[in-house]
Amino acid sequence: METPIVILAIETSCDETSGAVIKDDRILSNIVSSQIKLHSEYGGVVPEIAVREHLKNLPIVVKAAFAEANINPDDVDLIAATRGPGLPSALMAGYRTAQSIAFTLKKPFFGIHHHEAHLYSPWISPEEKRLQLELFRPNISLIVSGGHTLLVYVKSEFEHQVLGSTIDDAAGECFDKVAKLIGLPYPGGPQMDKLAEKGNPDKYFFPRPMLQNQDLNFSFSGLKTAVRYFLRDNPKVLDDIQNICDLCASVREAIIDVLIAKTNRAIEITGVNCVTASGGVSSNKLLRQRLEQIANKKQILLRLSDHQFCTDNAAMVGIVAYMKHKAGYEPTDLDSDIISSWVLT
Ligand code: KG4
Ligand code: ZN
């Protein structure tokens, strides 16, 4: 029997500082310290604040991850960190910290692609806190976050083909920008989702950008602009809470309609019998319901990232490092740099 491998993983691509300890395919700890409250008064992530908070919180988070896992730093066999894409200064904080730990402990190091981490997170069982790769099959993977909207054909482990992506704003960015227009705090996605539950999605109509295009790309900036003009012409809508709920429901419906239509098309084109979703926006209630409906109708397997693994976290980074190690990938050079606009291939 092979000796188990213990991995320390670090994630700091945006506004969460996270550390996790993984033992083979099992997550022993996954500590996430969110900076959301600090950024919310600015209506978005302020890089200066993000990097200062990462540097302050990294030692605390890593220590807590070791303590919860009941693992001694000397027992670590491999160190991993998010290499990109993300905010350059934020990435740098976690990447350099992880490299320093690897250098000190004289252990191999893996720089992990942030989208690969999201991509495999739906295969983590929340009950067992374990990567269920034995259930893996070729799939269409929808990655929807604040920075990215991607449809990926995952043919086998680490064999990816990006079928579509956004040509401007990401889906989460659209939620956040519309929420800001409504006057909701950052990040607006979860707030809008909550209010939308009490609203009528047919009350107002907003465009479904690129819905008719045969390709699998997305565009959300026009939708955001449509809401801006709507509010300019109908400012009184914001005086009534029911109208706000209806507005949130109508915008959410437009965004999710597009995500679902393109995901459906990708499943049909590739003929896969599995669909997965990950990233912050995959927490969205309507998106999850609609994906369930597709999966039931088509009788295909649906793997949704559990809520705790939807937003940025180090466990998903550690899991990919484990997969890479097991598949025989070469470790990343200790003097390597971050790649802030790393494209998934
Ligand atoms: O994956 P993530 O934590 O960070 C990035 O890599 O970007 O995603 C954060 C994004 C934010 O835009 C946030 O508003 C959105 O995910 N989000 C949601 C929901 N929960 C988080 N959007 C819509 N509905 C939600 N329930
Ligand atoms: Zn992310």
Side-chain angles (χ1 to χ4, degrees):
M1 210 169 114
E2 275 181 56
T3 43
I5 175 149
V6 176
I7 300 171
L8 168 69
I10 288 175
E11 146 66 32
T12 62
S13 65
C14 193
D15 57 350
E16 334 274 352
T17 317
S18 182
V21 176
I22 314 292
K23 190 175 193 178
D24 282 348
D25 55 359
R26 289 182 189 276
I27 297 164
L28 300 185
S29 64
N30 184 32
I31 310 289
V32 183
S33 166
S34 176
Q35 307 172 4
I36 280 176
K37 281 204 177 90
L38 291 170
H39 298 285
S40 73
E41 67 174 290
Y42 301 97
V45 178
V46 183
E48 272 296 309
I49 297 178
V51 70
R52 199 178 61 207
E53 286 301 305
H54 284 318
L55 290 172
K56 188 177 91 190
N57 290 327
L58 271 164
I60 302 165
V61 159
V62 168
K63 213 171 147 187
F66 278 130
E68 192 175 304
N70 205 11
I71 289 280
N72 196 301
D74 291 334
D75 298 332
V76 170
D77 302 300
L78 195 156
I79 322 290
T82 308
R83 189 174 185 186
L87 279 178
S89 53
L91 284 168
M92 193 76 89
Y95 201 68
R96 291 280 179 254
T97 301
Q99 285 172 321
S100 307
I101 297 173
F103 177 77
T104 309
L105 296 178
K106 296 188 176 58
K107 298 294 176 189
F109 169 75
F110 271 107
I112 301 296
H113 197 296
H114 186 62
H115 295 158
E116 279 187 356
H118 277 304
L119 190 74
Y120 291 100
S121 67
W123 299 98
I124 304 173
S125 150
E127 293 83 23
E128 296 176 27
K129 292 258 185 336
R130 189 179 73 80
L131 183 69
Q132 292 182 312
L133 264 193
E134 69 279 10
L135 302 179
F136 177 90
R137 52 175 114 160
N139 62 80
I140 285 296
S141 179
L142 176 67
I143 308 176
V144 262
S145 70
H148 305 276
T149 307
L150 289 171
L151 265 175
V152 187
Y153 177 20
V154 189
K155 295 175 191 168
S156 61
E157 285 172 40
F158 300 123
E159 199 189 345
H160 313 136
Q161 184 184 349
V162 177
L163 300 178
S165 60
T166 182
I167 60 165
D168 43 54
D169 291 354
E173 197 178 353
C174 183
F175 271 113
D176 294 342
K177 286 179 174 170
V178 169
K180 200 172 170 185
L181 293 173
I182 298 173
L184 299 171
Y186 174 85
Q191 315 273 346
M192 280 189 64
D193 196 18
K194 223 165 152 186
L195 294 173
E197 285 296 300
K198 298 179 208 138
N200 171 10
D202 300 322
K203 177 83 172 280
Y204 309 109
F205 181 80
F206 292 104
R208 271 73 172 149
M210 318 259 290
L211 193 62
Q212 301 313 326
N213 293 32
Q214 283 311 301
D215 67 31
L216 296 169
N217 289 325
F218 304 90
S219 161
F220 290 106
S221 74
L223 174 55
K224 168 202 68 193
T225 309
V227 178
R228 175 178 295 130
Y229 289 146
F230 171 79
L231 287 174
R232 182 196 62 190
D233 299 338
N234 304 276
K236 286 206 159 49
V237 163
L238 298 183
D239 294 344
D240 178 77
I241 182 65
Q242 188 54 51
N243 283 343
I244 293 176
C245 291
D246 294 343
L247 178 59
C248 288
S250 304
V251 174
R252 181 178 73 165
E253 194 81 10
I255 296 174
I256 303 304
D257 270 0
V258 179
L259 292 175
I260 287 296
K262 301 268 172 171
T263 306
N264 216 353
R265 201 170 292 156
I267 296 168
E268 275 161 17
I269 290 169
T270 53
V272 294
N273 61 7
C274 176
V275 58
T276 76
S278 61
V281 182
S282 70
S283 270
N284 189 274
K285 237 177 153 164
L286 184 64
L287 178 62
R288 294 174 93 85
Q289 279 166 10
R290 292 273 175 85
L291 286 169
E292 266 161 33
Q293 284 166 5
I294 289 187
N296 284 339
K297 198 167 159 214
K298 293 187 185 301
Q299 291 289 297
I300 62 175
L301 176 68
L302 171 67
R303 295 287 304 204
L304 293 172
S305 198
D306 189 63
H307 289 286
Q308 64 190 300
F309 303 118
C310 283
T311 39
D312 294 340
N313 66 89
M316 64 184 189
V317 175
I319 283 300
V320 172
Y322 165 71
M323 288 171 67
K324 294 220 156 187
H325 167 80
K326 211 171 145 228
Y329 279 74
E330 281 294 309
T332 315
D333 281 347
L334 260 194
D335 56 3
S336 61
D337 209 347
I338 58 153
I339 311 176
S340 61
S341 50
W342 200 358
V343 178
L344 185 71
T345 50

